[in-house]
Amino acid sequence: QVQLVESGGGLVQSGGSLRLSCAASRRTFSMSAMGWFRQAPGKERECVAHISWTGGTTRYAESVKGRFTISRDNDRNTVYLQMNTLRPEDTAVYYCAKHRSSIGTMQANDYDSWGQGIQVTVSS
């Protein structure tokens, strides 16, 4: 089964940028849609963005639309989340996840493999 490892998190100033990476350990990555989720203290986990296995279809949460960009490189089994114009409310633990099918959704239950999570903190 696929294993996912996130990297690139950390502390950034408000208005700054950060790029998250998610590396998969199995070839099956190339056949699955992928998503990025986040969970802030006291709040429910939410889907930030997802991308189809071909990379041709993407969707974003309204709160990040226009600021975040999800992309993937199937040859490297890696998914990226470019985060620009960051705000303090973006502070959360971010998770990479593999979808059960080739086209993504916003629902966490549709994902069957998860990374360990990585902290993103945006200071004001």
Side-chain angles (χ1 to χ4, degrees):
Q1 58 184 15
V2 66
Q3 294 182 350
L4 306 173
V5 180
E6 302 100 332
S7 62
L11 175 65
V12 66
Q13 300 291 324
S14 180
S17 297
L18 207 60
R19 187 180 187 88
L20 304 182
S21 298
C22 172
S25 61
R26 297 290 185 271
R27 182 187 298 173
T28 52
F29 168 90
S30 65
M31 300 297 293
S32 301
M34 300 292 296
W36 284 98
F37 290 75
R38 69 184 182 187
Q39 187 165 24
K43 296 208 170 190
E44 292 186 345
R45 180 174 51 186
E46 66 172 340
C47 185
V48 175
H50 61 76
I51 184 169
S52 62
W53 81 271
T54 64
T57 302
T58 59
R59 184 181 176 186
Y60 300 90
E62 287 298 319
S63 59
V64 308
K65 197 170 187 177
R67 301 186 297 119
F68 290 12
T69 302
I70 187 171
S71 61
R72 67 191 297 163
D73 185 340
N74 289 346
D75 290 335
R76 297 179 178 179
N77 287 353
T78 303
V79 180
Y80 305 94
L81 184 67
Q82 178 67 45
M83 303 182 291
N84 298 326
T85 320
L86 283 162
R87 307 164 179 169
E89 51 263 44
D90 294 319
T91 296
V93 176
Y94 283 70
Y95 299 88
C96 177
K98 183 184 78 67
H99 201 273
R100 297 182 187 275
S101 66
S102 61
I103 301 177
T105 65
M106 302 293 285
Q107 188 171 340
N109 288 340
D110 293 335
Y111 295 78
D112 61 6
S113 186
W114 296 81
Q116 65 182 0
I118 190 166
Q119 179 70 44
V120 171
T121 302
V122 184
S123 64
S124 59

